[in-house]
Amino acid sequence: MMKALEKSRPEVGLWQVTAPVPEIGPDDVLIRVRKTGICGTDIHIWNWDDWAARTVPVPLITGHEFAGEIVELGRNVTGLAVGQRCSGEGHLIGRDSRQSRAGKFHLDPATRGIGVNEQGAFAEYLRLPSFNVVPLPDAIDDEIGAILDPLGNAVHTALSFDLVGEDVLITGAGPIGIMAAAVARHVGARHVVITDVNPTRLELAAKVADVVPVNVAQEDLGDVKARLKMREGFDVGLEMSGNQQALDQMVENLVMGGRIALLGIPPGKSPVDWSRIVFKAITIKGVYGREIFETWYKMIAMLENGLNIRPVITHRLPADDFAQGFEIMRSGSSGKVVLDWS
Ligand code: ZN
């Protein structure tokens, strides 16, 4: 038996339970989980909002951001070893769709998520298809390994467009926005401006990366452009907040022919000034998950090459104190919260 965090009932909260250690199939591995990250998705599941109630079966062990060690191999598994440290892609893909068969695994419409549709990683043990396992080099310790999933979102979004020498605007200074800012810096953007209305988050952003934090409740982006001596506007926008005003400000402050990657999810339908986007000839790309496994390759290479995201982890707690961890996350002012299962 093992310790796990479960959505046991269709109501607010998560509960610590004793559950059977998962049995693995011939193509799976069993992972002893060491560290897990709490994600915004987990907060939706904790809060049991409309999305969670529609999506998550009950009971379910939640959690999808993890690092651990392989302790058992299915009989068909090759190329992995017991004792190997790993993280892994939490999207379990189908193999039949057009995109999947074309090798674009992250675009498979039949994707199921661990901790959302299938048993998750907030547990001492996790079953994962060996295909999804990503071995960790020694340079990446368990707490960084536990946040590769959201770093992957940040990297996938940031690398959607060429950032070399570009001026980049990031709206939303949550952990993923902050990590995207660090990535933009790392790959050679000129100015990286990150906006929010939460001073704590902006402070954290400035601690993690060499960026210009802007509180848009107090300062106008037009003034920021003048201060940075930008002639026309930002070349690339990374929208991480799902906030309507943030998108409007982004469109307003982009150059003609600017490019936007959208990761933030608006709460519902939101009005967009499409004529502005047409006349500015703006390209918009929706971003989902990580490119499997290209994003993983790139982010591990960048971490080995000096990308430092560690300060984005603001809280480290034993798994038994999960309720406190969720409380910190729900405050909206924290960076990443990592739970220790060892
Ligand atoms: Zn996540």
Side-chain angles (χ1 to χ4, degrees):
M1 300 297 278
M2 66 174 187
K3 194 162 69 178
L5 295 187
E6 186 186 76
K7 178 57 100 175
S8 309
R9 305 188 287 277
E11 58 188 76
V12 177
L14 285 180
W15 293 271
Q16 188 170 308
V17 297
T18 303
V21 173
E23 273 178 39
I24 62 169
D27 298 311
D28 300 330
V29 301
L30 188 68
I31 296 166
R32 172 68 175 93
V33 175
R34 301 280 180 220
K35 302 265 167 84
T36 59
I38 301 178
C39 180
T41 302
D42 302 317
I43 301 301
H44 288 288
I45 295 172
W46 175 287
N47 291 342
W48 204 240
D49 61 15
D50 291 345
W51 170 83
R54 269 200 320 272
T55 311
V56 178
V58 175
L60 185 82
I61 295 170
T62 59
H64 58 272
E65 302 180 357
F66 71 94
E69 180 188 328
I70 297 174
V71 291
E72 194 186 335
L73 301 173
R75 67 181 139 79
N76 295 342
V77 176
T78 56
L80 296 171
V82 169
Q84 201 163 17
R85 295 176 54 251
C86 69
S87 181
E89 173 59 52
H91 286 159
L92 312 180
I93 55 158
R95 305 293 176 91
D96 297 329
S97 69
R98 175 192 175 165
Q99 298 288 17
S100 190
R101 288 177 66 81
K104 299 173 195 168
F105 299 132
H106 68 294
L107 297 179
D108 179 63
T111 292
R112 299 175 61 73
I114 66 165
V116 177
N117 316 106
E118 305 274 346
Q119 295 288 35
F122 286 159
E124 288 174 302
Y125 293 93
L126 169 70
R127 172 186 55 207
L128 197 70
S130 62
F131 176 80
N132 287 60
V133 171
V134 177
L136 292 176
D138 293 342
I140 299 179
D141 60 24
D142 288 344
E143 71 171 17
I144 297 297
I147 61 167
L148 292 183
D149 171 287
L151 175 61
N153 294 127
V155 168
H156 186 188
T157 311
L159 300 188
S160 288
F161 300 111
D162 181 7
L163 299 186
V164 178
E166 304 285 33
D167 294 332
V168 178
L169 173 62
I170 300 172
T171 46
I176 294 180
I178 293 174
M179 288 192 283
V183 171
R185 223 49 202 114
H186 189 78
V187 302
R190 180 170 61 172
H191 297 304
V192 179
V193 172
I194 186 163
T195 67
D196 208 294
V197 292
N198 180 327
T200 316
R201 289 174 152 210
L202 289 167
E203 260 168 52
L204 180 62
K207 230 182 272 174
V208 178
D210 175 22
V211 294
V212 180
V214 173
N215 188 332
V216 281
Q218 290 162 1
E219 197 176 4
D220 186 79
L221 274 175
D223 299 338
V224 175
K225 284 196 294 192
R227 176 151 63 84
L228 297 176
K229 300 192 169 52
M230 289 167 51
R231 279 186 56 209
E232 295 174 37
F234 294 92
D235 305 292
V236 176
L238 311 177
E239 208 305 289
M240 305 297 205
S241 70
N243 181 295
Q244 173 59 40
Q245 281 172 313
L247 182 60
D248 284 344
Q249 287 163 0
M250 182 174 277
V251 170
E252 203 51 46
N253 289 287
L254 236 52
V255 293
M256 287 288 295
R259 290 148 296 166
I260 296 176
L262 287 179
L263 187 76
I265 301 165
K269 288 189 181 182
S270 59
V272 174
D273 188 351
W274 287 107
S275 68
R276 193 93 185 98
I277 288 167
V278 172
F279 286 123
K280 280 190 101 163
I282 286 171
T283 301
I284 298 183
K285 177 192 174 188
V287 178
Y288 177 67
R290 293 143 300 280
E291 287 186 13
I292 306 168
F293 286 90
E294 179 65 6
T295 303
W296 288 90
Y297 181 90
K298 291 267 197 187
M299 72 177 150
I300 288 172
M302 284 190 286
L303 288 167
E304 290 179 313
N305 180 28
L307 173 67
N308 179 20
I309 51 153
R310 194 177 306 279
V312 86
I313 302 173
T314 52
H315 296 80
R316 299 163 174 85
L317 297 166
D320 287 344
D321 295 342
F322 67 96
Q324 194 191 338
F326 274 82
E327 206 44 57
I328 292 164
M329 280 288 289
R330 290 170 87 199
S331 76
S333 292
S334 72
K336 289 302 290 185
V337 177
V338 171
L339 300 178
D340 188 341
W341 293 82
S342 46

